[in-house]
Amino acid sequence: MRCMDSVSLQTSAENDFIKKRLVEDKVKYIWTSGRICDFKGCDRADLQPRRTNGWFWTSDLQKLPPTTDRNQNDWSNSGGIKIPQPDNREELQNGAAENCLAVLNNFYGDGIHWHDVACHHRKPFVCEDSESLLQYVQYTNPNLKLS
């Protein structure tokens, strides 16, 4: 309705801005638009192994750098089972696959970082303007004036 989508943390500045707000507002965690490719077509070679190379921002379909490239992302070095994220902990413990990306505010005593989390959990989310949604609205409503 407002031409927004869940936040994608594609730059250090965006990531730092969100982390600062989590601290200031004492927010424990939020959803982002990040998720792992887990649907038809995700068997592509460039997405393998999927838990390393299959993460992307759904808001603009931009692929994240490999999870092993710690200079290009903000995955936590720890979590519920004390190993680096993404760890798919819940599925390893006979639960749901952790296919969504959340920012957790020191939830595991590890600072404010990205974690893979099962998508069924309830969390607040942060939205940002979506250029592609704005373009779609303009295309489908040519007489609409967007400011």
Side-chain angles (χ1 to χ4, degrees), residues 5 8 28 32 34 39 42 60 62 65 70 73 77 86 90 96 102 117 135-136 143:
D5 211 329
S8 298
K28 290 186 209 179
T32 70
F39 42 84
C42 295
D60 59 7
Q62 292 298 308
R70 297 295 173 162
N73 59 52
N77 287 321
E90 195 167 328
V117 177
Q135 289 173 356
Y136 174 77
N143 296 326

Side-chain angles (χ1 to χ4, degrees), residues 106-119:
N106 206 32
F107 196 81
Y108 295 106
D110 60 342
I112 305 170
H113 296 287
W114 301 355
H115 287 257
D116 61 329
V117 177
C119 305

Side-chain angles (χ1 to χ4, degrees), residues 23-132:
V23 170
E24 289 173 354
D25 296 340
K26 297 178 178 62
V27 175
K28 290 186 209 179
Y29 34 65
I30 62 160
W31 284 124
T32 70
S33 77
R35 66 167 291 148
I36 199 165
C37 192
D38 64 349
F39 42 84
K40 186 176 180 176
C42 295
D43 54 353
R44 294 182 350 213
D46 66 313
L47 299 175
Q48 303 308 314
R50 199 167 50 102
R51 290 261 158 218
T52 301
N53 295 312
W55 290 91
F56 69 100
W57 300 114
T58 61
S59 60
D60 59 7
L61 303 178
Q62 292 298 308
K63 197 172 160 211
L64 274 74
T67 60
T68 52
D69 184 353
R70 297 295 173 162
N71 293 322
Q72 295 294 315
N73 59 52
D74 198 16
W75 293 102
S76 176
N77 287 321
S78 187
I81 55 176
K82 307 291 186 218
I83 62 172
Q85 298 294 304
D87 63 3
N88 200 26
R89 176 189 57 84
E90 195 167 328
E91 185 174 53
L92 294 175
Q93 296 174 334
N94 299 314
E98 294 188 332
N99 291 347
C100 290
L101 195 159
V103 179
L104 277 55
N105 183 352
N106 206 32
F107 196 81
Y108 295 106
D110 60 342
I112 305 170
H113 296 287
W114 301 355
H115 287 257
D116 61 329
V117 177
C119 305
H120 65 83
H121 293 282
R122 294 179 59 92
K123 296 186 181 343
F125 52 90
V126 174
C127 293
E128 63 183 349
D129 290 336
S130 171
E131 190 61 37
S132 58

